[in-house]
């Protein structure tokens, strides 16, 4: 009788499972619109040219080694990341009211923030509110950290645009002082972002109800192609005097995915609070990972701190975001040209890597079975998986299932 | 660039009233405890004396006192750069090529346990302890306390507590002999409730450098098995202790071969491959059969996903290359032996010099102990004097990182230690 006999089999991760199925599919016409990683026009992973340059620089630097980073992380990364998120002349940064700790990408940042909030949130029973829908791992992260998790309305499933009234109503109806997870830009999975005016309205309600904002920023520069525009919401909240957390990832915008490069930023009211907040975040991080991964941080830090490389990086991001925009518009146009029933404007209006197509579970299954097209069962496609070689095929496939499968 | 409308909005907001709540969200956050080792490093940095020595650092240094990037690691990096690989996410459990090779290194390439191993790549040793702790917290409901040797690595307690486990201890180090108090250790482990989680340092005990002999390990194994405890091995110095990877894993392999106690392992490549900051490690559970280990791994994945989704790429690729490329592996094992030998050499030199100086005390423990650290037996007051009068920095428990000793400073160190201990 094994010691472990009573431990049950756990369910497989649905998104990663999709990837496994797609990889195993031998069909030459298969289209992978599942996992959220950028692909070039040939459907291949793309290591950014500027990342190649930075890597080569590190490889030829005689001072390069593998020593431990400080607990807070690599200063070149954390300093550069602060300037990137909050802006180069951010008063919050200049007032020394921001503490940044390096993390294991965005997931690590979300988790460190979640554990920190569990220990220090006020009121002690404040729940964490996530958008309906949101990235699959959000609920798991905050529950694992011990919070109660609730939802606020977000996606209008009929228009496939923002349900701003529902969102504001839910935030207003919540007890005072709750924690609200907000996607800074390029909402995952819907691609639906509030406008500048809507962000103001959201900030008004957050202020009124004394809610605490926890921004998840995984696509800065990747959404509109402009890093300042994509940071608008965060900077708005900071300028309005909010204290907040930002979980930042360089997985997509620098293509560093597997190197696990990210940061958690804490913005406080006063620099007096920074020694306490930083010491607690450091302590938490020390007990989970000791220190974060060095290599990706050095690559990102090199890019962020060198004006030439930084400028080149902005160009690489524009290349990614414009290819994605081109594919959005192309898909929409082709569906319109095919006369596919329904409105398809949402495909080009939504922003970032993902599009919430509005396809039903049955239609998604049919796409997989008949057309070897892989997308998650909520109808989310990773637009990065579309390219000039497969867009016609994809449009026709969608047209077919919309007409013939309910 | 922001549109002018957007800039106007931002300007207006900045001028708007501050939120109604005047007290910061963080007002009740207390100062976290100071990090003992960090404090030493800061004091060392501030010191301007040319003779200063930092014996707190837990990273290998060459005889010139410099960080060391292993030749095998450099070559592996060159090979990898030439391959032009992408940076796609690893699976949740990491790079299979790495975890397979790592498991063979730990358990032995022909170990039957390999067929029934649940193994995941982790954020170095700390991450492995964290996943292991989380796994036991969730699935080992009968006993939720981890028993650590006294003393143990400073971060052990913090990691296990943050997993939601309780932490207690068993006697280990004998200050009188500066060696192992085997009798007390066996007594304490025998007295624990059946099925307790016992953390064991596989080799090169941190911070004392005191390891059980093979015969002593047999006795420890008997008691652990008798009481059906969970043997949680922490192996952060394989190859680095004796210079021989198989010898350093002997205790672990003996427990696994016997199969009477459940074994879980935290494995780190920080020191033996010098990959410190790249965070390369594994956590594994020895299951009853392949089916069981699949089941266990499915649960491990559930634990990993909310913590960090998947582990870092770079270090795992380097380690995999070194372990699976025959030339690099041979070179690596040679370099690990060299590092271990330099450390053994410094131990010998320190002890000899102290004896030459006519120290009345016994310094045998310096060469009896093994691995990166030496528990000198120095008292806190003596440690403070070493810092203030001699510009030598070590932790107040008397722990010296032997890696910080070089042929140019070993005499100065011996003289200074003699100075503070001769009265």
């Amino acid at each position: 009788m094994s010691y472990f006999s009573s431990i049950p089999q756990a369910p497989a991760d649905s998104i990663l499972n999709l990837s496994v199925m797609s990889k195993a599919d031998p069909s030459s016409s298969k289209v992978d619109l599942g996992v959220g990683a950028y692909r070039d026009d040939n459907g291949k992973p793309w290591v950014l040219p500027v990342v190649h340059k930075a890597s080569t620089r590190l490889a030829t630097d005689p001072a390069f080694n593998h020593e431990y980073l400080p607990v807070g992380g690599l200063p070149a990364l954390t300093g550069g990341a602060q300037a990137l998120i909050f802006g180069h002349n951010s008063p919050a940064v200049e007032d020394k009211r921001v503490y940044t700790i390096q993390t294991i990408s965005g997931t690590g940042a979300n988790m460190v923030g979640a554990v920190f909030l569990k220990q220090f949130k006020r009121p002690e029973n404040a729940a964490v509110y996530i958008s309906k829908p949101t990235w699959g791992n959000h609920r798991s992260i905050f529950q694992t950290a011990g919070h109660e998790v609730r939802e606020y309305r977000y996606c209008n499933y009929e228009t496939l645009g923002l349900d701003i009234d529902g969102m504001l109503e839910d935030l207003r109806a919540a007890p005072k002082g709750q924690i609200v997870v907000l996607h800074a830009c390029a909402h995952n999975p819907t691609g639906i972002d509030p406008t500048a005016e809507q962000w103001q309205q959201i900030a008004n309600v957050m202020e009124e109800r004394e809610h605490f904002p926890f921004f998840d920023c995984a696509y800065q520069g990747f959404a509109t192609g402009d890093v300042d525009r994509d940071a608008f919401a965060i900077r708005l909240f900071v300028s309005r005097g909010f204290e907040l957390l930002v979980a930042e990832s360089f997985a997509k915008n620098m293509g560093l995915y597997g190197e696990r490069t990210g940061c958690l930023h804490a913005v406080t009211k006063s620099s007096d609070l920074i020694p306490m907040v930083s010491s607690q975040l450091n302590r938490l991080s020390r007990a989970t990972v000791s220190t974060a991964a060095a290599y990706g941080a050095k690559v990102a830090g090199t890019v962020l701190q060198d004006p030439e490389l930084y400028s080149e990086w902005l160009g690489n991001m524009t290349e990614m975001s414009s290819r994605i925009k081109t594919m959005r518009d192309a898909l929409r146009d082709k569906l319109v040209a095919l006369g596919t029933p329904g409105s398809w404007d949402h495909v080009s209006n939504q922003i970032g890597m993902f599009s919430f197509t509005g396809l039903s579970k049955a239609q998604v299954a049919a796409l997989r079975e008949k057309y070897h097209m892989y997308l998650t069962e909520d109808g989310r496609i990773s637009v990065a998986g579309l390219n000039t070689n497969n867009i016609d095929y994809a449009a026709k496939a969608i047209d077919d299932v919309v007409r013939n499968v309910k | 660039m922001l549109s002018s409308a957007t800039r106007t909005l931002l300007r207006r907001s900045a001028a708007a009233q501050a939120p109604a709540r005047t007290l910061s969200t963080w007002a009740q956050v207390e100062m976290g405890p100071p990090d003992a080792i960090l404090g030493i490093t800061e004091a060392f940095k501030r010191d301007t004396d040319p003779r200063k020595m930092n014996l707190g650092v837990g990273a290998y240094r060459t005889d010139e006192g410099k960080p060391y990037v292993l030749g095998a690691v450099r070559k592996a990096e060159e090979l990898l750069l030439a391959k032009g690989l992408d940076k796609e996410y690893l699976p949740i459990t990491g790079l299979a090529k790495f975890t397979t090779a790592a498991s063979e290194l730990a358990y032995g390439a022909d170990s039957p346990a390999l067929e029934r191993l649940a193994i995941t790549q982790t954020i170095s040793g700390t991450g492995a302890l964290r996943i292991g702790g989380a796994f036991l917290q969730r699935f080992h409901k009968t006993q939720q306390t981890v028993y650590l040797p006294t003393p143990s690595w400073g971060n052990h307690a913090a990691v296990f507590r943050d997993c939601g486990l309780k932490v207690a201890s068993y006697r280990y180090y004998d200050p009188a002999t500066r060696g192992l108090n085997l009798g007390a250790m066996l007594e304490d482990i025998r007295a624990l409730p059946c099925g307790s989680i016992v953390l064991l340092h596989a080799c090169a005990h941190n911070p004392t450098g005191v390891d059980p002999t093979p015969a002593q390990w047999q006795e420890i194994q008997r008691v652990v098995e008798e009481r059906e405890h969970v043997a949680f091995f922490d192996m952060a110095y394989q190859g680095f202790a004796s210079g021989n990877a198989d010898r350093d894993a002997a205790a672990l392999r003996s427990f696994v071969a016997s199969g009477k106690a459940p074994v879980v392992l935290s494995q780190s490549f920080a020191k033996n491959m010098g990959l410190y900051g790249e965070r390369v490690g594994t956590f594994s559970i020895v299951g009853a059969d392949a089916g069981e280990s699949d089941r266990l791994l499915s649960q491990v994945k559930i634990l990993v996903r909310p913590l960090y989704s998947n582990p870092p790429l770079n270090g795992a690729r380097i380690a995999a290359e070194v372990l699976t490329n025959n030339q690099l592996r041979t070179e690596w094992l040679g370099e690990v032996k060299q590092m271990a030998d330099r450390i053994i050499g410094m131990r010998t030199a320190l002890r000899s010099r102290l004896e030459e100086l006519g120290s009345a005390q016994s310094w045998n423990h310096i060469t009896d102990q093994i691995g990166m650290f030496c528990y000198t037996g120095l008292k806190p007051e003596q440690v403070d004097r070493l810092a203030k009068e001699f510009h030598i920095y070590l932790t107040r428990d008397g722990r010296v990182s032997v890696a910080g000793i070089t042929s140019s400073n070993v005499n100065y160190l011996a003289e200074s230690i003699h100075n503070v201990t001769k009265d």
Side-chain angles (χ1 to χ4, degrees):
Chain A
M1 177 71 170
S2 163
Y3 173 74
F4 302 112
S5 308
S6 59
I7 299 175
Q9 177 84 25
D13 183 298
S14 58
I15 294 179
L16 299 177
N17 208 36
L18 194 68
S19 186
V20 167
M21 282 199 284
S22 164
K23 284 203 174 98
D25 188 329
S27 163
S28 56
S29 51
K30 73 179 172 186
V31 181
D32 187 347
L33 302 179
V35 78
Y38 181 77
R39 294 285 176 265
D40 63 16
D41 198 49
N42 297 314
K44 297 271 175 279
W46 192 55
V47 176
L48 276 62
V50 77
V51 166
H52 263 304
K53 279 204 178 126
S55 304
T56 308
R57 230 183 247 194
L58 291 172
T60 53
D61 180 0
F64 179 82
N65 60 37
H66 297 287
E67 293 297 291
Y68 287 121
L69 292 179
V71 168
L74 186 72
L77 171 69
T78 53
Q82 265 186 17
L84 181 66
I85 292 265
F86 300 106
H88 285 270
N89 298 310
S90 164
V93 174
E94 274 163 22
D95 290 347
K96 301 199 193 307
R97 296 190 283 120
V98 184
Y99 181 64
T100 301
I101 185 169
Q102 183 183 334
T103 56
I104 307 292
S105 209
T107 306
N110 271 280
M111 181 50 93
V112 173
V115 176
F116 178 79
L117 286 171
K118 179 68 171 81
Q119 285 183 14
F120 298 110
K121 64 183 174 180
R122 286 183 318 138
E124 273 176 30
N125 64 351
V128 173
Y129 283 71
I130 57 177
S131 64
K132 182 178 159 67
T134 191
W135 176 45
N137 215 8
H138 271 146
R139 178 178 288 277
S140 178
I141 290 169
F142 288 102
Q143 275 175 346
T144 300
H147 299 278
E148 187 197 333
V149 175
R150 299 184 193 149
E151 285 179 317
Y152 57 87
R153 280 171 287 169
Y154 191 80
C155 179
N156 179 324
Y157 288 90
E158 277 168 29
T159 64
L160 295 168
L162 180 63
D163 178 4
I164 184 68
D165 292 334
M167 178 177 181
L168 296 176
E169 234 176 83
D170 288 350
L171 294 181
R172 200 171 268 126
K176 274 194 171 181
Q178 305 299 290
I179 295 159
V180 181
V181 179
L182 299 162
H183 296 231
C185 63
H187 185 272
N188 176 3
T190 68
I192 300 165
D193 283 353
T195 61
E197 277 74 19
Q198 287 170 330
W199 274 120
Q200 282 286 3
Q201 293 177 285
I202 295 165
N204 290 343
V205 175
M206 297 277 297
E207 191 179 330
E208 202 183 292
R209 301 300 290 155
E210 296 173 20
H211 292 326
F212 182 83
F214 192 158
F215 279 97
D216 190 346
C217 186
Y219 299 95
Q220 186 186 9
F222 205 95
T224 64
D226 180 322
V227 294
D228 296 312
R229 272 179 71 189
D230 288 349
F232 170 78
I234 293 171
R235 295 179 192 181
L236 171 69
F237 275 66
V238 170
S239 71
R240 286 185 55 163
F242 282 88
E243 292 180 306
L244 48 87
L245 292 178
V246 182
E248 177 186 23
S249 169
F250 288 92
K252 285 85 172 171
N253 62 10
M254 263 201 213
L256 288 174
Y257 306 101
E259 301 294 2
R260 318 309 289 126
T261 306
C263 294
L264 176 72
H265 306 271
V267 179
T268 65
K269 255 187 203 358
S270 135
S271 56
D272 292 343
L273 296 156
I274 294 294
M276 281 75 86
V277 170
S278 63
S279 68
Q280 293 293 351
L281 285 171
N282 288 353
R283 190 193 65 76
L284 279 176
S285 183
R286 180 89 164 114
T288 24
V289 299
S290 272
T291 58
Y295 187 72
K298 288 176 181 173
V299 171
T302 303
V303 171
L304 291 171
Q305 299 291 348
D306 179 312
E308 239 179 76
L309 293 180
Y310 185 87
S311 179
E312 187 172 341
W313 175 49
L314 296 182
N316 288 172
M317 272 197 291
T318 305
E319 201 177 316
M320 289 192 286
S321 58
S322 22
R323 194 185 84 69
I324 289 198
K325 181 72 178 119
T326 305
M327 287 298 107
R328 284 185 177 281
D329 294 341
L331 181 60
R332 180 202 163 271
D333 293 345
K334 285 183 193 294
L335 290 171
V336 167
L338 287 166
T340 311
S343 161
W344 297 99
D345 286 343
H346 57 279
V347 172
S348 42
N349 291 340
Q350 290 162 3
I351 196 167
M353 197 174 285
F354 302 111
S355 173
F356 232 36
T357 56
L359 294 168
S360 71
K361 262 193 204 176
Q363 290 166 340
V364 169
L367 281 174
R368 193 174 59 241
E369 280 144 32
K370 189 169 172 189
Y371 290 99
H372 309 274
M373 241 171 88
Y374 294 82
L375 53 149
T376 48
E377 66 174 23
D378 56 3
R380 180 195 89 164
I381 59 169
S382 173
V383 184
L386 291 171
N387 55 58
T388 53
N389 305 306
N390 65 20
I391 185 97
D392 283 322
Y393 176 84
K396 290 200 185 97
I398 292 172
D399 180 76
D400 177 35
V401 305
V402 168
R403 285 175 198 280
N404 301 314
V405 178
K406 291 311 157 208
Chain B
M1 277 305 297
L2 297 174
S3 73
S4 67
T6 310
R7 274 179 278 147
T8 308
L9 269 170
L10 279 174
R11 244 197 331 271
R12 285 211 192 118
S13 305
Q17 282 180 346
R21 193 172 39 176
T22 51
L23 193 58
S24 166
T25 308
W26 315 114
Q28 85 291 12
V29 175
E30 282 171 6
M31 195 67 180
D35 185 306
I37 296 177
L38 213 66
I40 293 170
T41 307
E42 321 255 271
F44 170 79
K45 281 189 183 142
R46 284 195 300 268
D47 193 324
T48 52
D49 192 291
R51 295 164 299 174
K52 68 179 180 177
M53 289 176 70
N54 186 353
L55 299 179
V57 73
Y60 181 80
R61 292 287 175 264
T62 63
D63 200 48
E64 288 75 44
K66 299 263 177 286
Y68 178 50
V69 176
L70 277 65
V73 166
R74 257 198 224 290
K75 292 193 180 85
E77 289 179 287
E78 279 160 28
L79 284 169
L80 289 167
L81 197 66
K83 281 188 194 172
L85 301 167
D86 63 39
K87 296 195 179 295
E88 293 297 288
Y89 291 121
L90 283 174
I92 297 174
T93 52
L95 185 67
K97 188 175 170 188
F98 164 65
T99 50
T100 302
S103 63
E104 287 171 7
L105 181 74
Y107 294 95
D110 44 19
S111 167
L114 296 178
E115 309 289 295
R116 44 193 172 88
L117 199 68
I119 184 164
T120 182
Q121 180 185 336
T122 55
I123 312 295
S124 207
T126 305
L129 294 165
R130 184 57 189 236
I131 297 297
F135 178 84
L136 292 168
Q137 193 279 332
R138 190 170 281 185
F139 297 110
H140 188 59
K141 289 303 189 189
T142 49
Q143 294 295 335
Q144 292 272 292
T145 305
V146 178
Y147 293 87
L148 308 174
T150 302
S152 194
W153 177 45
N155 210 15
H156 271 143
V159 171
F160 289 122
R161 281 201 190 104
D162 271 36
C163 289
L165 293 166
K166 295 206 255 315
V167 170
S169 56
Y170 57 86
R171 284 170 293 171
Y172 187 81
Y173 175 73
D174 187 347
T177 62
R178 286 146 194 178
L180 176 64
N181 188 344
L182 181 69
M185 177 181 181
L186 296 175
E187 206 182 297
D188 287 356
I189 292 181
R190 192 174 275 121
L192 300 177
C194 262
S196 292
I197 304 162
V198 179
L199 183 106
L200 299 160
H201 295 227
C203 62
H205 182 272
N206 176 4
T208 68
V210 170
D211 281 357
T213 62
Q216 290 173 328
W217 268 120
Q218 287 298 323
E219 292 194 68
I220 296 164
Q221 182 179 323
R222 250 197 300 276
V223 176
V224 169
E225 288 175 352
E226 207 178 279
R227 302 294 292 154
E228 293 170 358
H229 294 326
V230 176
F232 194 147
F233 276 96
D234 185 350
M235 186 154 75
Y237 299 97
Q238 188 186 7
F240 204 93
S242 67
N244 181 306
D246 294 316
R247 200 176 323 157
D248 289 347
L252 166 71
R253 293 179 190 181
S254 171
F255 273 69
V256 173
S258 169
K260 295 201 188 81
V263 172
V264 304
L265 172 71
S266 154
Q267 181 185 25
S268 169
F269 287 87
K271 285 81 174 174
N272 62 10
M273 263 197 210
L275 288 174
Y276 308 100
E278 305 299 345
R279 320 311 289 125
V280 186
T282 72
F283 171 70
S284 52
I285 309 166
V286 179
D289 52 55
E292 175 168 275
S293 57
D294 282 344
R295 194 165 28 94
L296 298 177
L297 200 62
S298 75
Q299 292 294 352
V300 167
K301 287 179 190 174
I302 302 277
L303 292 167
V304 170
R305 184 76 163 119
L307 287 181
Y308 56 85
S309 283
N310 44 73
L313 196 45
N314 188 59
R317 278 178 171 162
I318 294 171
E321 198 67 37
V322 168
L323 290 171
T324 60
N325 175 318
N326 285 328
Q327 234 177 330
L328 293 184
R329 189 192 177 93
T330 305
E331 183 172 347
W332 169 58
L333 290 171
E335 289 181 289
V336 175
K337 181 155 190 342
Q338 263 176 27
M339 288 194 285
D341 285 347
R342 191 183 93 66
I343 292 204
I344 291 169
M346 287 300 103
R347 287 180 179 278
T348 306
L350 180 62
R351 177 187 159 180
S352 311
R353 191 72 191 109
L354 281 162
E355 286 167 357
E356 274 168 35
L357 287 166
S359 174
Q361 297 193 16
S362 164
W363 297 102
N364 292 359
H365 54 284
I366 295 180
T367 46
D368 288 341
Q369 291 166 6
I370 194 168
M372 196 174 286
F373 301 110
C374 170
Y375 237 36
T376 55
L378 290 168
K379 304 193 200 45
E381 314 81 69
Q382 294 167 329
V383 171
D384 291 342
R385 281 191 64 196
L386 280 175
K388 286 197 188 75
E389 295 170 38
F390 298 96
H391 313 280
I392 293 172
Y393 297 85
L394 51 145
T395 44
R396 291 187 98 234
D397 56 359
R399 184 193 86 161
V400 157
S401 171
V402 184
I405 307 176
T406 69
S407 46
S408 10
N409 63 26
V410 63
N411 289 345
Y412 176 67
L413 176 61
E415 283 150 23
S416 310
I417 290 177
H418 181 55
N419 240 302
V420 307
T421 55
K422 63 190 177 188
D423 310 312

